[in-house]
Amino acid sequence: MHPKKQLLDDAAKLLLAELEGKELTARERNQIPLQEMATQDPSERILNMNEVALGYTEAQVRIEAMRCLQCKTKPCVKGCPVGIDIPAFILEAEKGNYAKAVSIIKESSLLPSVCGRVCPQELQCQMYCTVGKAKKDVEQSVSIGRIERFVADYTREHGLDEIPHVGDDSGKSVAIVGSGPASISAAADLRREGHRVVLFEALHKAGGVLVYGIPEFRLPKEIVEYELEILRKMGVEIRLNYLVGKTRTVDELFDKDGFDAIFVGSGAGLPRFLDIEGENSIGVFSANEYLTRSNLMKAYAKTNALTPMYRSKRVAVFGAGNVAMDAARTAKRLGAEVVSIIYRRTETEMPARREEIAHAKEEGIEFLYLLAPKRIIPGEDGRVKEVEVIECKLGPEDEDGRRRSMMIEGTESLRSYDTVIVAIGNDSNPLIKATTDGIETSHKGTFIVDPSTCATSLEGVYAGGDIVLGAATVILAMGQGRKAARAMNEYLATL
Amino acid sequence: MNKIIAKKQLSATVFQMEIEAPEIAEARKAGQFIILQLGGEFDERIPLTIADADPVKGTITIIFQAVGESTHHIALLKEGDYIENLLGPLGNPTDVRHYGHVVCTGGGIGAAPLFPIVEAMKAAGNRVTVILGARTKELVILEEKMRAVADEVIIVTDDGSYGEKALVTEPLKRICETTQVDCVVAIGPPVMMKFVSLTTKPFGIYTIVSLNTIMIDGTGMCGGCRVTVDGRTRFVCVNGPEFDGHLVDWDNLLLRMGTFRAQEEEAHHRCLVGLDTKEGEA
């Protein structure tokens, strides 16, 4: 079930010796077995915060790369939101030219170490892979994400990364609000054109959801640090502890500080609550709070951290996205005995990455499907004691094509918990909208932008990522950042 | 990085620091706060109200009480030292306007955030009465500054060591009974703000309270600071920190303040042990 890295590597080396140097036919490539990635053993990993997925070995990545058929039509590329030339970088990986592979990726994505780890590849590039299609199993697709991860990790660890070229000073300056994935990719593309770029981050660490949201066991923070360091080396200035809308408004950034254009990548950071009885009891946390305490404030380091973490034995997590998985698995690692994911639909509808769901199951997270929380019942001390749940059934599809969940009256029951984590989604950050006149937003509070340029209704102001999309994915945010930067570069050239 | 320009000890456990923070000093209004983090990997973020600011010098003043591990660490900093992370100004400014007669009530360290409001209320043309309450004489702070601005200052102490031996609610009730009061502002421990609100409620006097719940980011992204106001969940950091005291669910707020009490007590014990060692070495 959990083969050690050594075993997987030995098998890959044998196979590599056999295949290396041969002209492989498509048929032969199709017969190469999918390379499994080593992971930490579940019984060990629930006792630590270290990364669960251990990555490929060099022999494994070369074998996995050989599984790629180098389709001329490149169907995988259309599944990638930033359009990475996937067959091209895989071909370099097959040859062992890892730095070259990374430079191909970096033409489109600045964060390969991150995206290789956190993208839902089964819904993106790997969903369109010919190999997976031929085998009628997306799980059998070429492991594009794992190869991307390997080449990026390899070049980082061997100091082979090149700092992207920066053009001559254009005399223009751009303010970027937020330092998450959308902002990072916009910043890099704007800086390449020689503009002065300043990133304004409200928290005391840059990276957005990559630092406060996604846990160490899924995305080591040193990787995020490293990627941000490249941005700094390109000459991008990162200003921490700066809340646009409060420290300065958008208008002031133009008028007082003289910025020529602004990109808003402030994300969807406003946690949604269910608005049910008892939700303000002690021991009820938004997933944002729970994860921010653990990740950003390092509260998992119980003996060192000054930020406290709630002590829990029985934890209920409401929701079934990646954030819910992250919160549940964090709670387990912090010593909870029972952690239940309470979800009103079934496993098929769960929005989390398949790999994270599998990992959560291996770690003993309990999945309760077709069940919705109705109220939270505190004890006399005001602390969570029970959750009243109600059974659900699936109804017809809604406008997004997802089947509705319908409560079945009269099926209420009580379950005993001492902690509740609410992970039912986030709304867009309202501060910029509230402090800037003339920005058009939807009824959900997301910024309305021109889909081809990411321009907002206010001249010189562009926006991308979750502030436009609502809570989406890292790579979609990056795609928007790039699109906005392209349009901003054109706009700045006209000034 | 924010340099500490001046440090003053106001009482046994209360400290005042003037810190370089030009953009915050320029933007800040009465009633707003900052989040401070010392800069270490494991330091926590704590909210503190901006007690004063000098936009010309580019400094803000904070006044804090060393009550737990983090505030003890901050108290150990000296002039010339740096505070790495300072975010602000946060929260909504106080709704300052011409009310008529405003009674500003400060409990303990609450006098610090109260001062800029007293100033602003006075500047808006109000008659301002200040009631300062403290456990004992040594803990009364900012009396002189208040007297310089307010029309009247009343001091009460729990033990009667200075001023009237009473809780702030006693002179407050008296004033409400004998004179026209148009607005009451209360800042202090939650239990004090609760009782101020209960005192003014029968008189129907608009009462502004400044809530000091647990916070992490201070920008509205976690809801750790949430309270129930008029039956709705509100985030103190972005919807507040000031609310109508008559609409706050005080009992829930008081319970939620105790979420991490066990851990805080352990940390406090740890830091007192730490301080002992340091004094021993010196």
Side-chain angles (χ1 to χ4, degrees):
Chain A
M1 180 84 179
H2 293 279
K4 295 270 183 263
K5 204 163 182 170
Q6 189 65 52
L7 273 174
L8 294 168
D9 191 37
D10 290 346
K13 276 177 178 155
L14 278 176
L15 191 54
L16 186 62
E18 210 177 291
L19 299 176
E20 209 170 14
K22 265 197 201 163
E23 276 293 327
L24 297 172
T25 64
R27 197 186 149 78
E28 282 168 325
R29 288 183 187 270
N30 254 326
Q31 282 165 353
I32 300 173
L34 174 90
Q35 295 297 295
E36 199 183 329
M37 179 168 53
T39 56
Q40 269 200 80
D41 192 84
S43 61
E44 282 166 27
R45 73 189 192 225
I46 57 165
L47 304 173
N48 67 54
M49 279 285 164
N50 303 335
E51 192 169 20
V52 166
L54 300 173
Y56 279 157
T57 66
E58 200 175 344
Q60 278 191 291
V61 82
R62 302 232 359 241
I63 296 282
E64 187 65 25
M66 286 174 186
R67 298 182 66 234
C68 174
L69 305 177
Q70 293 292 324
C71 311
K72 291 276 174 296
T73 52
K74 305 182 182 186
C76 49
V77 177
K78 75 165 184 271
C80 173
V82 295
I84 295 173
D85 189 345
I86 294 167
F89 96 74
I90 289 188
L91 188 62
E92 295 303 331
E94 182 182 334
K95 294 186 206 154
N97 299 334
Y98 309 123
K100 182 84 193 295
V102 171
S103 69
I104 293 169
I105 299 172
K106 286 208 170 164
E107 284 166 22
S108 313
S109 162
L110 202 73
L111 302 174
S113 298
V114 174
C115 293
R117 285 172 166 83
V118 305
C119 274
Q121 289 98 1
E122 71 270 19
L123 301 175
Q124 297 176 342
C125 52
Q126 289 172 205
M127 189 161 98
Y128 297 93
C129 172
T130 311
V131 178
K133 287 248 189 284
K135 301 198 168 174
K136 295 190 169 57
D137 180 4
V138 70
E139 309 272 325
Q140 286 294 319
S141 295
V142 174
S143 304
I144 300 165
R146 293 173 181 180
I147 300 173
E148 179 186 27
R149 171 189 161 148
F150 177 90
V151 295
D153 285 356
Y154 185 94
T155 51
R156 183 180 68 251
E157 284 156 14
H158 290 79
L160 299 175
D161 268 313
E162 283 170 27
I163 306 303
H165 176 75
V166 171
D168 294 336
D169 183 10
S170 70
K172 307 285 179 1
S173 63
V174 183
I176 296 191
V177 183
S179 66
S183 298
I184 291 173
S185 24
D189 284 356
L190 286 157
R191 183 66 195 138
R192 280 189 236 256
E193 293 297 306
H195 309 306
R196 175 176 168 247
V197 177
V198 186
L199 242 80
F200 293 98
E201 167 56 49
L203 294 174
H204 64 283
K205 277 187 193 166
V209 75
L210 308 178
V211 295
Y212 74 74
I214 305 176
E216 187 77 18
F217 56 79
R218 217 150 66 79
L219 179 64
K221 297 303 154 242
E222 58 172 20
I223 292 173
V224 183
E225 271 301 308
Y226 174 87
E227 307 280 17
L228 287 165
E229 200 46 44
I230 291 188
L231 216 54
R232 287 197 189 92
K233 283 183 180 155
M234 289 173 72
V236 172
E237 189 188 336
I238 301 178
R239 291 214 49 192
L240 304 173
N241 305 302
Y242 201 111
L243 183 60
V244 176
K246 286 287 179 184
T247 312
R248 282 270 211 267
T249 62
V250 164
D251 295 330
E252 286 169 340
L253 287 174
F254 280 121
D255 302 340
K256 276 191 187 168
D257 301 306
F259 284 102
D260 298 296
I262 296 176
F263 174 78
V264 180
S266 54
L270 183 74
R272 249 179 246 153
F273 286 92
L274 283 163
D275 214 8
I276 56 174
E277 194 184 319
E279 209 167 20
N280 288 348
S281 307
I282 305 179
V284 182
F285 302 93
S286 72
N288 281 9
E289 176 179 358
Y290 199 79
L291 291 170
T292 299
R293 284 178 181 275
S294 180
N295 300 329
L296 178 72
M297 307 312 296
K298 301 264 182 274
Y300 65 79
K302 287 174 205 159
T303 49
N304 295 320
L306 287 166
T307 303
M309 205 75 207
Y310 201 65
R311 285 163 197 165
S312 312
K313 289 287 167 219
R314 301 180 61 86
V315 180
V317 179
F318 300 165
N322 285 317
V323 176
M325 297 306 126
D326 288 343
R329 298 171 69 197
T330 298
K332 189 83 186 178
R333 282 162 172 75
L334 292 173
E337 288 157 12
V338 173
V339 182
S340 318
I341 295 273
I342 297 181
Y343 184 45
R344 62 201 169 110
R345 295 189 175 91
T346 70
E347 179 154 3
T348 324
E349 290 82 24
M350 282 174 67
R353 272 183 100 214
R354 293 295 115 181
E355 187 174 305
E356 310 313 327
I357 297 171
H359 284 164
K361 284 182 178 171
E362 288 170 4
E363 288 163 13
I365 307 295
E366 175 185 42
F367 285 76
L368 302 173
Y369 302 116
L370 294 171
L371 210 57
K374 226 177 154 188
R375 66 185 169 123
I376 297 162
I377 304 163
E380 273 175 21
D381 56 1
R383 291 174 190 257
V384 175
K385 196 170 151 233
E386 286 171 320
V387 174
E388 187 183 64
V389 292
I390 181 164
E391 289 171 28
C392 302
K393 62 180 179 204
L394 288 182
E397 284 181 3
D398 61 17
E399 58 271 24
D400 301 329
R402 209 157 61 137
R403 292 187 67 185
R404 262 177 236 278
S405 161
M406 289 151 44
M407 293 181 188
I408 308 168
E409 291 307 321
T411 59
E412 290 87 349
S413 63
L414 295 178
R415 302 186 73 94
S416 158
Y417 293 106
D418 55 36
T419 306
V420 170
I421 302 172
V422 184
I424 56 163
N426 286 337
D427 289 321
S428 53
N429 214 314
L431 185 59
I432 305 281
K433 157 79 180 157
T435 55
T436 314
D437 286 334
I439 294 231
E440 275 179 36
T441 56
S442 72
H443 68 282
K444 286 179 176 168
T446 50
F447 281 24
I448 296 169
V449 298
D450 177 330
S452 60
T453 61
C454 285
T456 70
S457 52
L458 208 58
E459 197 195 324
V461 180
Y462 296 74
D466 284 1
I467 188 77
V468 170
L469 302 167
T473 61
V474 169
I475 192 78
L476 283 171
M478 291 177 57
Q480 287 229 311
R482 299 208 79 201
K483 191 190 285 177
R486 214 157 32 237
M488 290 173 83
N489 282 329
E490 282 169 23
Y491 171 76
L492 288 165
T494 66
L495 294 186
Chain B
M1 293 288 264
N2 306 269
K3 191 176 183 178
I4 300 171
I5 302 297
K7 177 188 175 184
K8 210 156 85 182
Q9 188 158 5
L10 301 185
S11 78
T13 55
V14 178
F15 299 83
Q16 176 178 316
M17 279 179 184
E18 190 183 351
I19 308 166
E20 239 171 37
E23 277 142 341
I24 303 177
E26 194 183 327
R28 136 298 164 180
K29 292 196 174 65
Q32 290 186 298
F33 64 97
I34 51 143
I35 293 267
L36 178 157
Q37 200 264 2
L38 277 181
E41 190 70 2
F42 299 114
D43 281 305
E44 66 184 330
R45 295 166 66 95
I46 57 167
L48 291 169
T49 309
I50 304 167
D52 208 349
D54 186 336
V56 179
K57 263 170 86 183
T59 61
I60 59 164
T61 299
I62 55 167
I63 296 177
F64 63 95
Q65 186 165 16
V67 288
E69 196 164 1
S70 290
T71 41
H72 270 116
H73 288 172
I74 303 165
L76 290 173
L77 295 176
K78 299 178 292 294
E79 285 175 11
D81 285 347
Y82 287 85
I83 291 172
E84 195 159 316
N85 300 302
L86 213 56
L87 168 70
L90 300 174
N92 295 311
T94 308
D95 183 12
V96 175
R97 57 173 95 167
H98 183 81
Y99 293 95
H101 181 203
V102 179
V103 179
C104 294
T105 318
I109 191 78
L114 192 66
F115 178 69
I117 298 171
V118 169
E119 267 188 320
M121 286 293 188
K122 189 64 203 168
N126 292 290
R127 183 164 108 75
V128 181
T129 301
V130 172
I131 306 172
L132 291 183
R135 263 199 343 268
T136 184
K137 187 183 177 184
E138 285 69 43
L139 297 175
V140 176
I141 56 165
L142 300 182
E143 183 188 346
E144 288 316 307
K145 288 186 88 168
M146 294 287 188
R147 284 195 192 281
V149 179
D151 296 279
E152 186 190 7
V153 176
I154 299 164
I155 311 276
V156 297
T157 51
D158 292 2
D159 62 359
S161 54
Y162 188 49
E164 201 177 316
K165 182 179 189 310
L167 299 171
V168 291
T169 45
E170 292 166 54
L172 176 64
K173 184 157 184 259
R174 211 164 55 223
I175 294 166
C176 293
E177 278 164 351
T178 53
T179 51
Q180 172 69 28
V181 178
D182 304 291
C183 174
V184 169
V185 182
I187 309 184
V191 71
M192 168 257 181
M193 293 191 282
K194 172 183 171 175
F195 282 99
V196 165
S197 301
L198 289 176
T199 303
T200 56
K201 196 160 187 196
F203 298 97
I205 301 167
Y206 178 49
T207 300
I208 300 170
V209 294
S210 178
L211 302 182
N212 43 4
T213 50
I214 293 172
M215 276 186 200
I216 306 161
D217 60 285
T219 66
M221 61 164 260
C222 87
C225 64
R226 66 194 191 277
V227 287
T228 310
V229 180
D230 204 14
R232 287 172 69 199
T233 291
R234 311 289 279 161
F235 290 5
V236 171
C237 69
V238 290
N239 304 126
E242 294 177 2
F243 294 96
D244 181 338
H246 297 156
L247 303 177
V248 172
D249 181 342
W250 290 103
D251 295 336
N252 181 255
L253 181 141
L254 285 160
L255 280 171
R256 286 184 58 82
M257 296 283 289
T259 301
F260 295 103
R261 189 143 295 147
Q263 285 101 313
E264 282 157 8
E265 275 165 13
E266 282 166 29
H268 192 214
H269 177 73
R270 201 161 64 216
C271 89
L272 289 180
V273 172
L275 286 181
D276 283 351
T277 328
K278 271 185 191 117
E279 277 163 14
E281 283 164 0

